[in-house]
Amino acid sequence: MPVYSMTGYASGQNGPSGSPPETDVRPLFTGRLGVEIRSVNSRFLDLTFKLPEELRQHEPALRELLTAKLKRGKVELRAAIENTAQAGITEPSTRLLQRLNGVQDGIRAWLPGARELSVADVLRLAGGDTASRGDWGPDLLDVTRKALDGLMAAREREGARLATMLKDHLAQLGKLAKQAGPLVPQLVEQQRTRFLERWQEAMGLTGGTLPEAAQDRALTEATAFAIRIDVAEELTRLASHLDEIERLVKKGGEIGKRLDFLIQELHREANTLGSKSAALELTRIGVDMKVLIEQMREQVQNIE
């Protein structure tokens, strides 16, 4: 499966709506429906809809459509109906006016108190307001599906870029871990020897000889100190986390939360490595690791 980013944008629109027959009236407006979907990173799926009054009733269907494909991210869907004047307000045909007048006379014959049609009534009945005429539901869902497909494609492209960057950072961290590996036994033995030498120097300053019990105590303290600065275990766990991250990136899908947890574990191991470091070279490696891990954290926060 591909890796998806939570960041993306897509839009879509339908063509002009149909117009009534020319025998009744020439079109006053052409309706055009537009949909925009944009998303950014979020811990959960957070949907926001900004719809005109004519489309508000379709929000449940839109929500169902989005939740079927999106799992995480702050997603905003905007929809608008644009009315484009083709030729200003055009006079309805004589045929339509005759029909409306006949209907009006018939109604007023039975209901003398009914008011007469106004110009606005005639234009509305002529079907000039395409924004409020008809059901926009099928068009809205169709355009939203196309925009959603575009959003998924954009998120997939961005996810592929993030996956490539993560793999590059994983390779760099692996190189740093290999550089640190051979230094560990050297440093442990070096610090153990240095500890014993200083112990012997301290005993020499007292003017006495180093008894066997004192030698055993010095050896025990040196060994304990060597264990405290040994980072082999941290390097082993770090390598294990790197392997798991690489496996998840290859697998794809909904991996963002697991990656975020593993990045925290990587950061913990790098911090321990730095705190135990007893050599400048190992300290430099620990700092370089933390820089790479922090860059990975920023990338992982955008992965679904």
Side-chain angles (χ1 to χ4, degrees):
M1 293 180 66
V3 174
Y4 287 101
S5 168
M6 286 186 281
T7 303
Y9 171 84
S11 64
Q13 63 182 25
N14 69 342
S17 65
S19 57
E22 291 187 1
T23 55
D24 286 345
V25 65
R26 293 167 61 187
L28 301 178
F29 298 94
T30 300
R32 186 167 57 194
L33 174 68
V35 173
E36 290 184 347
I37 310 177
R38 65 183 76 237
S39 67
V40 294
N41 61 314
S42 176
R43 291 185 62 189
F44 308 102
L45 181 60
D46 181 10
L47 301 179
T48 302
F49 297 91
K50 297 190 175 180
L51 307 172
E53 195 62 37
E54 299 90 342
L55 304 179
R56 221 173 277 278
Q57 60 181 314
H58 302 294
E59 181 175 326
L62 293 174
R63 186 178 296 274
E64 182 179 354
L65 192 62
L66 265 58
T67 53
K69 285 195 174 184
L70 304 175
K71 305 305 177 185
R72 289 179 67 199
K74 183 176 177 60
V75 182
E76 178 183 280
L77 184 148
R78 290 175 176 266
I81 300 173
E82 178 186 0
N83 292 328
T84 305
Q86 282 190 335
I89 297 179
T90 306
E91 180 182 359
S93 66
T94 302
R95 176 183 174 185
L96 178 62
L97 291 175
Q98 289 174 344
R99 287 172 54 194
L100 291 175
N101 189 54
V103 171
Q104 177 180 245
D105 289 343
I107 291 174
R108 297 193 71 192
W110 289 95
L111 301 173
R115 67 177 180 85
E116 294 184 356
L117 289 172
S118 67
V119 174
D121 292 334
V122 172
L123 291 176
R124 180 174 55 81
L125 292 172
D129 187 2
T130 59
S132 60
R133 188 182 67 236
D135 180 15
W136 286 97
D139 278 350
L140 177 62
L141 293 178
D142 183 58
V143 174
T144 301
R145 287 190 191 94
K146 294 176 182 177
L148 183 57
D149 289 342
L151 178 71
M152 296 300 294
R155 286 169 60 132
E156 183 177 348
R157 289 192 298 270
E158 178 65 13
R161 187 184 68 83
L162 292 175
T164 300
M165 294 176 66
L166 281 176
K167 290 176 182 177
D168 180 61
H169 283 41
L170 289 174
Q172 294 182 55
L173 282 171
K175 290 179 181 178
L176 290 173
K178 287 181 180 180
Q179 293 175 18
L183 297 175
V184 174
Q186 275 182 296
L187 292 172
V188 170
E189 183 58 31
Q190 178 182 334
Q191 292 300 319
R192 182 171 176 274
T193 303
R194 185 180 302 172
F195 191 89
L196 286 173
E197 289 175 352
R198 290 182 178 177
W199 183 281
Q200 290 172 351
E201 288 176 5
M203 293 301 294
L205 292 175
T206 63
T209 58
L210 191 65
E212 185 176 348
Q215 289 181 353
D216 291 341
R217 175 64 184 276
L219 185 60
T220 301
E221 291 291 337
T223 302
F225 181 73
I227 292 174
R228 284 198 300 271
I229 67 170
D230 187 359
V231 293
E233 186 177 348
E234 284 73 17
L235 289 175
T236 300
R237 286 198 296 265
L238 189 140
S240 175
H241 296 328
L242 293 179
D243 290 341
E244 179 64 11
I245 291 174
E246 185 174 6
R247 185 189 70 81
L248 287 174
V249 172
K250 288 181 179 179
K251 174 186 174 185
E254 300 169 42
I255 60 174
K257 290 183 178 180
R258 295 193 64 183
L259 287 178
D260 190 51
F261 171 76
L262 288 169
I263 292 298
Q264 294 179 31
E265 294 300 306
L266 280 180
H267 202 276
R268 184 178 292 111
E269 302 303 338
N271 274 335
T272 306
L273 183 70
S275 63
K276 284 187 173 183
S277 175
L280 184 61
E281 181 63 17
L282 202 55
T283 301
R284 182 194 64 78
I285 290 175
V287 170
D288 290 345
M289 282 184 172
K290 285 195 282 188
V291 170
L292 288 170
I293 292 169
E294 190 59 34
Q295 292 173 350
M296 291 174 68
R297 185 199 301 276
E298 294 176 0
Q299 296 158 9
V300 164
Q301 287 176 349
N302 283 322
I303 292 179
E304 185 176 61

